[in-house]
Amino acid sequence: MLALLAEHPPLFLTGTVVFGLLLGSFLNVVILRLPARLEHDWKGQCRELLELEAADDAPPPDLVFSRSRCPGCGRPIRARENVPVLSYLALRGRCAGCGAAISLRYPLVELLTASLFLLVGWHFGPTLQCLAALVLTAFLVALAGIDFDHQLLPDNLTLPLLWAGLLLSLLGVFTDPVSSIIGAAAGYLLLWSIYHLFRLLTGKEGMGYGDFKLLAALGAWLGWQMLPLVLVLSSVVGAVVGLALLALRRHRKDQPMPFGPYIAAAGWIALIWGEPIVMGWLRFSGLG
């Protein structure tokens, strides 16, 4: 199978794009529903801990079996209305039942996932590295979307990602086990140290523990050697975007800003172009 795909790159890349569109549709569901499911579970655990009477509210839709519905009229979305991107264009961005506007985010996430999958397929080809990189890409898209909406990086996603990176290092997919283990520990401790130093100096919390776990996961996947690049890229892009939003008055100074999307974007860039960027910087600085 891999030999067939290697002999027909257009077929492989087309399949990668189609898979990205389909998975992007599912990632929209994860971004929308997972935080609601977690909140419902947390509230139930708190009631149980406090020995309060259980609530009567029904649990939110699950990630796999519950049908998608229009948030305006509650009408179930039919299969032909749920084709990635094409259905949005055919419906002109509106519900077929009530005519309510459908968020542009849905096709954008689908297109983003398909584009990232195409670049991963182009870069790695039909290899085990490609399959692993597609998995990492999907997780990063979901985590970035959830953090953007809720300033939350769920353990349900960051911890499996961390363990997957450590296990893949045993096969030498992206890095060796020693670099992976050091990367996981260093990734967590770097942001943990920055967090506590910032809190000591300002009395405020600058980031959440989910950011530590996400950087630890990237360290496990890519090795400790890529952590400086990920930190620099995420910090620079985050600062530029934050200043731009403040200048455009789209963000208040006292309003927290999620850092997870920038870590995710920087980690993905390091996955694809990390080695040439690091080597280019070393040559430029005279260290290489």
Side-chain angles (χ1 to χ4, degrees), residues 9-253:
L11 175 64
F12 169 67
L13 295 177
T14 300
T16 303
V17 170
V18 172
F19 181 52
L21 288 171
L22 295 173
L23 190 58
S25 180
F26 175 69
L27 293 180
N28 273 317
V29 174
V30 174
I31 293 169
L32 179 66
R33 295 183 183 179
L34 181 58
R37 296 282 302 184
L38 291 175
E39 183 179 1
H40 182 270
D41 292 343
W42 293 334
K43 288 181 177 178
Q45 292 168 10
C46 290
R47 291 191 185 96
E48 183 178 353
L49 180 64
L50 297 173
E51 298 181 352
L52 299 177
E53 186 176 345
D56 296 332
D57 55 324
D62 62 63
L63 301 184
V64 178
F65 299 106
S66 299
R67 290 186 61 182
S68 297
R69 296 177 178 271
C70 170
C73 64
R75 173 181 172 272
I77 297 175
R78 292 171 288 191
R80 65 173 179 269
E81 299 168 352
N82 210 20
V83 179
V85 180
L86 297 179
S87 291
Y88 184 88
L89 296 175
L91 294 170
R92 298 181 180 181
R94 296 194 172 273
C95 172
C98 65
I102 302 172
S103 174
L104 184 60
R105 160 187 263 182
Y106 298 120
L108 289 180
V109 170
E110 293 163 356
L111 289 171
L112 172 64
T113 307
S115 300
L116 296 179
F117 273 34
L118 174 61
L119 288 171
V120 168
W122 182 277
H123 183 78
F124 291 108
T127 60
L128 177 60
Q129 277 188 319
C130 179
L131 179 60
L134 292 178
V135 172
L136 176 59
T137 300
F139 269 78
L140 292 178
V141 170
L143 285 164
I146 292 172
D147 199 35
F148 184 82
D149 283 345
H150 303 280
Q151 296 182 19
L152 171 70
L153 293 170
D155 287 351
N156 307 56
L157 298 180
T158 55
L159 295 185
L161 195 64
L162 170 62
W163 284 109
L166 292 172
L167 291 174
L168 285 173
S169 72
L170 297 175
L171 302 176
V173 177
F174 295 112
T175 190
D176 59 274
V178 174
S179 296
S180 178
I181 294 169
I182 295 174
Y188 190 92
L189 290 174
L190 276 171
L191 289 188
W192 180 89
S193 302
I194 293 172
Y195 165 86
H196 284 286
L197 179 61
F198 182 82
R199 193 176 66 169
L200 285 173
L201 294 175
T202 66
K204 300 178 181 179
E205 296 183 357
M207 63 185 74
Y209 278 67
D211 297 318
F212 314 165
K213 297 168 189 175
L214 177 55
L215 189 61
L218 291 173
W221 276 74
L222 306 177
W224 64 266
Q225 297 88 342
M226 289 297 165
L227 289 179
L229 175 63
V230 174
L231 277 176
V232 170
L233 285 177
S234 58
S235 300
V236 170
V237 174
V240 170
V241 172
L243 291 173
L245 291 175
L246 289 174
L248 296 172
R249 297 184 179 180
R250 299 289 183 88
H251 201 87
R252 301 192 311 273
K253 290 183 179 180

